[in-house]
Amino acid sequence: MPTQAKAAVIDEITERFQNSSAAVLTEYRGLTVAQLTQLRRSLGAGSSYAVVKNTLTKRAADAVGFSDLAPLLNGPTAIAFIDGDPVEAAKAIRDFARANPLLVVKGGVVDGRTVDASEVTRLADVESREVLLAKLAGAMKGNLTKAAGLFQAPLSQMARLAAALQEKKAAEAPASTDEAPAADAPAAAADDSTAAADTTTADTDAATEDTESPAAATD
């Protein structure tokens, strides 16, 4: 391979190492093209599965600080470059390997550190991001329910207080009604004064008539 072409391959592998959330090195000896295509599709959109040359991959790994991968780069090697959740990809590779034992996981890189084959297997046993988020949401819902209960306690106390105030107001209402006639007393007194004034006027008129009567007799 011309030097320029090798440099281009090294640059491509280097870029994939840098931009992938994980990279799993496998040995694919004995697998058919159809099986490799099935594995590639199971990794999800954005991920890739490519056969690589060990010598060029070593140079790319050295360039990004993954020199520990060198012992794994022997024999037929293909790398799954993962774009997305490494757990989901690890599960896909594990399930495929169970159905197709010819696929051998060598190790790889996860979250910027090199791992061996057993760590890739353990990663596949971890619950997926979606499951963990669902559990977290359930826990948060439970906490919110407890919080709602705490918030309801003061509200119920306020409701009882409002009811007590309403009952107190209702109990005081009859007493105010009984005292109403007392408020009308001045009006009654005013009526009595008017009646007395009328009596005085009548007496005055009678006296006048008595005074005038002798004159009438004289006439």
Side-chain angles (χ1 to χ4, degrees), residues 1-193:
M1 181 183 296
T3 301
Q4 186 175 358
K6 289 182 180 180
V9 172
I10 293 171
D11 289 343
E12 181 181 356
I13 297 174
T14 299
E15 183 177 356
R16 289 189 179 184
F17 272 126
Q18 292 173 331
N19 296 333
S20 299
S21 58
V24 180
L25 280 64
T26 66
E27 182 177 328
Y28 63 94
R29 194 192 311 266
L31 293 174
T32 66
V33 173
Q35 289 172 323
L36 294 178
T37 300
Q38 179 185 352
L39 173 58
R40 185 178 296 108
R41 289 175 178 172
S42 69
L43 296 175
S47 299
S48 63
Y49 185 76
V51 175
V52 297
K53 289 186 175 293
N54 291 331
T55 54
L56 302 182
T57 303
K58 286 179 182 178
R59 294 175 62 180
D62 289 340
V64 291
F66 298 146
S67 300
D68 294 345
L69 294 178
L72 306 179
L73 293 169
N74 56 76
T77 303
I79 303 178
F81 290 101
I82 311 305
D83 180 16
D85 188 355
V87 173
E88 289 297 328
K91 289 181 184 297
I93 294 172
R94 177 201 61 191
D95 294 344
F96 182 87
R98 286 175 178 174
N100 302 274
L102 292 177
L103 181 73
V104 178
V105 176
K106 299 181 178 183
V109 177
V110 178
D111 291 333
R113 66 183 186 88
T114 57
V115 298
D116 58 19
S118 63
E119 289 185 86
V120 174
T121 301
R122 285 196 296 271
L123 182 64
D125 294 332
V126 174
E127 291 179 323
S128 67
R129 180 175 178 272
E130 285 71 18
V131 173
L132 292 176
L133 288 176
K135 287 188 174 182
L136 177 61
M140 290 180 64
K141 183 178 180 180
N143 291 336
L144 288 174
T145 300
K146 294 178 182 179
L150 294 175
F151 286 125
Q152 276 186 326
L155 290 176
S156 62
Q157 292 175 4
M158 291 179 63
R160 288 195 294 270
L161 177 60
L165 291 174
Q166 184 65 27
E167 291 175 0
K168 182 179 179 181
K169 182 178 180 181
E172 291 176 349
S176 298
T177 303
D178 293 338
E179 294 174 359
D184 296 333
D191 292 339
D192 293 340
S193 299

